[in-house]
Amino acid sequence: MIVENTILNRLDDLGLFLGYHHTEQPLVIQLGGNNPDKLAKCASIAQEWGYSEINLNCGCPSNKVAGQNFGASLMLEPETVRNCVKAMQRVVDIPVTVKCRLGVDKQEGYENIHNFVSGIPECDHFIIHARNCILKGLSPAKNRTIPPLKYHYVYNLTKDFPDKKFSLNGHVQDVSQTKEIFTENESLFGVMIGRAAWHNTAMLAKLDDEIFGEPTPQVPVTRRSIIGQYMEYVDEIIATRNEAPSAVVHSGTDLALLKPLAGLLSGCPGASKYRKSLFQSEKRIAERNSNLQEIVQKAMDTLPEGILDKPISNVPNIDSDSNADIKGSDLLQEETKLSNVLAT
């Protein structure tokens, strides 16, 4: 998410926030804000930079964001959301979509998300994290795990609004679960995999075959070949950083460029040692006083022989709860806390 004022106050340095590599297209930009005029200006700028879609964030549970009356708190003001969507649609030719939750705080029933969707008739596509957001009492991390999932609410929306598109988000852990969700409701437009793909990047190797029915490459893709291609991408970004929108630019530090490699070995022998090696030079990386190729090679050298050259399609089975923010007895405590929060 990029906040409206961040863009409007940094018009001379937009590459830092809006820059991307051409291979990342089609690319969606998510905007945060509640001012229709400001959001319209940001949407116009984003379209000029070549983005394929504008998404309005109505689901962020951060107290800082909610305190400025955007993110999930916007679900309490559907008319404001509607005005923001219409303002952006007037100035761009690309789709304007909304990412939201099922409701906020004590808005527990299906009627809340139904009314929210019906109150924004101009929006054709809603991406819905299928749980409530508790603005007072739960941290952003716990808001991703504690409020109960209600996939059936999103399924019901596809029936009640057949002319609209709905994508489901929320604790989707792997490709198999994605297939199950599409099987349960063929009317869904999409399924969003979030942190699970970050923690176990290799799972994405199964998507083309199992979801889209595309044939598996004749030459097996390995983690070594993926890292090699990715480092070519990194070198190109570093060489041309902060250039014009049509060139290769990147927002963030060299450390940000390394982070996507962290989950590539998840579940494999030596993965922990690999990650530790990858980020042990964090201070040098943050200061851009580093040789990323050298750092990555050293991390690869820590792995047992043969791991990098196995077909990536052999994705290890990782416990779906292994990356959860809250586990075991902590979960019970937080569920009790949620009940207490909602009772007040």
Side-chain angles (χ1 to χ4, degrees), residues 243-265:
E243 291 186 7
S246 59
V248 179
V249 290
H250 184 80
S251 59
T253 64
D254 290 354
L255 179 61
L257 290 172
L258 283 188
K259 284 184 176 180
L261 294 175
L264 190 60
L265 276 296

Side-chain angles (χ1 to χ4, degrees), residues 1 30-33 55-63 65-66 69-76 81 97-105 113 116 126-135 138-144 147 169 192 195:
M1 175 179 69
Q30 185 180 72
L31 298 177
N55 178 261
L56 180 62
N57 186 321
C58 298
C60 179
S62 163
N63 289 333
V65 167
N69 198 33
F70 64 96
S73 64
L74 276 178
M75 293 199 70
L76 300 172
V81 177
T97 62
V98 169
K99 175 78 165 25
C100 63
R101 294 280 184 127
L102 294 178
V104 175
D105 294 331
I113 185 61
F116 181 77
F126 291 83
I127 301 94
I128 302 178
H129 187 153
R131 65 172 100 232
N132 266 41
C133 174
I134 309 303
L135 292 177
L138 291 183
S139 68
K142 293 175 182 178
N143 257 301
R144 294 194 295 267
N169 171 233
M192 177 180 286
R195 283 170 175 77

